[in-house]
């Protein structure tokens, strides 16, 4: 009976939302007409407010629907964005400009910076140093294999494209969204197992390697695009060195500079200093990364990585909230804008093309098999190697971030990640995210059953 009530409530919310959207749309058209007659001074802000109302409402409805089926909310935000962004196919054109609105694009960019900052905050430099040889080897295998497999798939399905496009597709497959895996492990009470520690430890290295690869590949493509010719080996080497030096430099700053910086900031008594200082570090690192030719998200991740509890213990004694708790409301506002907008950029008409579906299918198979290579890095027979490989499968938000960057990179006058390729990547992200929870649960719980049978015998 309670489930029935929940369903009725959800249906009521959907119909109420549809009514509100049409009401807002009618009001927007009316206001636009009135503002054009009165000089148009209030038009832009009202349009932005309407876009935020619709996107945040859609994000929460989509996220709630998917969580009811025990799936990540991010998938609901992505799928609802795909639906909203393609309503023009049935003649409803109100939202057709949302995906290309400059203000929404900037808010989405801020959202992904905050998201990577949060991901970095989940780990520390000490955690990275403690992962052990097993986690390190799992991360190496889990990056190298998908990269070259993705490169090969790109070459096979897009033979007319540049080699740099094939390389970027390979880079897109290197990422792992370990947050989904961590949630599954918590749900089944396996977060403290050896397999869980190896997966979560490998994820730290995996994120860093993936972002370095992204920085290098994006840097090479940018250099080739601006130069109009090939790029020398020395130039490629310099891009690689620059990316590594940035990460190492960030760690050095975190160890030697940040403690003094926070001590100086602690003297300020104004409200909200702690949050402001942490955001300042995040944005400063993102800005520096962008200035030296790397993706700003590399700087945001590095900023989160170097912020450790010991640096701001004085603030923690003054304030009861951690940096994760303070950042959470900002992320709640900005991050869904990114995912809904990423969904809006998907052209559903490409799903009717057999070659695109074939490309997406093979890419998904390669993405799954590539991470199974991780099991080869585990030599301990008592460890569930299959579970480790399964835990590294989901691409989630990180794969979308890579694809979004590729959609903005230009090479020979067109985007590195075209609309059709972007759609294929989105399909891959959705499938790898959906299949991981049930497969990982089966693998981990089967191990318990086998151990119980062995004990009885």
């Amino acid at each position: 009976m309670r489930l029935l009530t929940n369903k009725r409530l959800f249906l009521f919310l959907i119909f109420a939302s549809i009514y509100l959207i049409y009401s807002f749309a009618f009001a927007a058209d009316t206001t636009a007409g009135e503002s054009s007659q009165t000089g148009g001074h209030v038009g832009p802000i009202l349009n932005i407010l309407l876009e935020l109302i619709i996107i945040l409402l859609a994000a929460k409805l989509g996220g709630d629907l998917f969580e009811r089926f025990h799936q990540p909310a991010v998938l609901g935000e992505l799928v609802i964005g795909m639906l909203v962004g393609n309503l023009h196919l049935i003649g409803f054109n109100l939202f057709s400009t949302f995906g290309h609105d400059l203000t929404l694009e900037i808010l989405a960019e801020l959202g992904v910076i905050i998201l990577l900052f949060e991901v970095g905050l989940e780990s520390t430099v000490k955690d990275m140093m403690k992962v052990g040889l097993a986690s390190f080897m799992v991360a190496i295998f889990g990056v190298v294999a998908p990269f070259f497999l993705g490169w090969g798939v790109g070459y096979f399905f897009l033979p007319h494209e540049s080699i740099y496009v094939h390389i970027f597709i390979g880079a897109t497959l290197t990422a792992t969204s370990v947050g989904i895996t961590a949630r599954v492990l918590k749900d089944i009470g396996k977060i403290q197992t050896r397999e869980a520690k190896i997966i979560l430890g490998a994820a730290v290295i995996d994120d860093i390697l993936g972002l370095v690869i992204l920085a290098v590949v994006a840097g090479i493509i940018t250099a080739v695009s601006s130069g109009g010719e090939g790029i020398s080996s020395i130039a490629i080497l310099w891009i690689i060195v620059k990316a590594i030096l940035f990460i190492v430099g960030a760690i050095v700053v975190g160890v030697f500079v940040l403690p003094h910086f926070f001590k100086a900031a602690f003297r300020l008594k104004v409200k909200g200093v702690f949050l402001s200082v942490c955001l300042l570090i995040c944005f400063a690192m993102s800005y520096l990364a962008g200035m030296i030719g790397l993706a700003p998200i590399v700087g945001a991740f590095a900023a989160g990585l170097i912020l450790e509890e010991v640096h701001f213990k004085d603030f923690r004694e003054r304030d009861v909230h951690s940096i994760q708790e303070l950042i959470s409301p900002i992320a709640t506002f900005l991050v869904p804008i990114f995912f809904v907008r990423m969904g809006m950029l998907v052209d559903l008409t490409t799903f009717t093309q057999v070659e695109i579906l074939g490309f997406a299918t093979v890419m998904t198979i390669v993405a799954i098999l590539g991470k199974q290579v991780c099991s080869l890095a585990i030599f301990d027979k008592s460890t569930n190697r299959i579970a480790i490989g399964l835990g590294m499968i989901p691409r989630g938000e990180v794969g979308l971030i890579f694809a979004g960057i590729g959609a903005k990179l230009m090479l020979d006058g067109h985007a590195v990640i075209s609309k059709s390729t972007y759609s294929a990547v989105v399909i891959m992200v959705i499938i790898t995210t959906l299949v991981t929870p049930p497969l990982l649960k089966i693998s981990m719980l089967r191990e318990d059953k086998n151990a119980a049978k062995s004990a009885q015998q």
Side-chain angles (χ1 to χ4, degrees), residues 87-165:
L87 285 176
H88 64 276
L89 297 176
I90 58 174
F92 193 77
N93 297 314
L94 175 66
F95 311 135
S96 58
T97 60
F98 281 23
H100 306 285
D101 185 273
L102 180 59
T103 303
L104 281 184
E105 182 179 350
I106 293 172
L107 290 174
E109 291 291 332
L110 286 173
V112 76
I113 286 174
I114 293 296
L115 175 61
L116 265 293
F117 183 52
E118 281 191 309
V119 173
L121 286 172
E122 295 296 324
S123 306
T124 65
V125 177
K126 290 182 180 179
D127 292 335
M128 186 177 65
M129 302 302 293
K130 290 180 182 178
V131 295
L133 181 60
S135 293
F136 183 78
M137 293 303 297
V138 166
I140 295 293
F141 278 52
V143 167
V144 173
F147 176 72
F148 285 104
L149 287 172
W151 185 344
V153 170
Y155 175 78
F156 180 81
F157 281 92
L158 305 172
H160 56 284
E161 293 286 359
S162 167
I163 185 175
Y164 302 110
V165 175

Side-chain angles (χ1 to χ4, degrees), residues 295-341:
I297 60 171
V298 177
F301 177 82
L305 189 66
I306 63 177
L307 282 176
E308 300 188 22
E309 188 79 15
V310 67
H311 294 157
F312 40 79
K313 59 181 180 180
D314 293 334
F315 279 103
R316 291 290 286 123
E317 292 173 359
R318 178 195 294 177
D319 299 319
V320 295
H321 296 292
S322 66
I323 181 57
Q324 289 90 342
E325 292 171 330
L326 293 173
I327 289 290
S328 180
I330 302 174
T332 301
F333 167 52
L334 291 174
V335 173
I337 297 175
F338 169 75
F339 288 117
V340 173
R341 185 176 178 276

Side-chain angles (χ1 to χ4, degrees), residues 11-28:
L11 288 173
F12 170 77
L13 289 174
I14 290 178
F15 286 117
S17 301
I18 294 173
Y19 173 76
L20 287 173
I21 288 173
Y22 273 101
S23 299
F24 286 134
F26 178 77

Side-chain angles (χ1 to χ4, degrees), residues 75 78 169-175 351 359-368 393-396 398-400 402-403 421-435:
L75 282 185
L78 177 66
I169 292 173
T172 302
L173 298 189
T174 61
F351 287 16
F359 183 24
T361 301
V362 175
M363 186 188 298
T364 303
I365 294 172
V366 164
I368 294 173
I393 286 176
R395 297 319 196 264
V398 190
L400 289 175
F402 279 35
T421 303
Y422 184 83
S423 298
V425 172
V426 169
I427 293 174
M428 179 272 296
V429 167
I430 292 174
I431 294 177
T432 56
T433 304
L434 287 174
V435 301

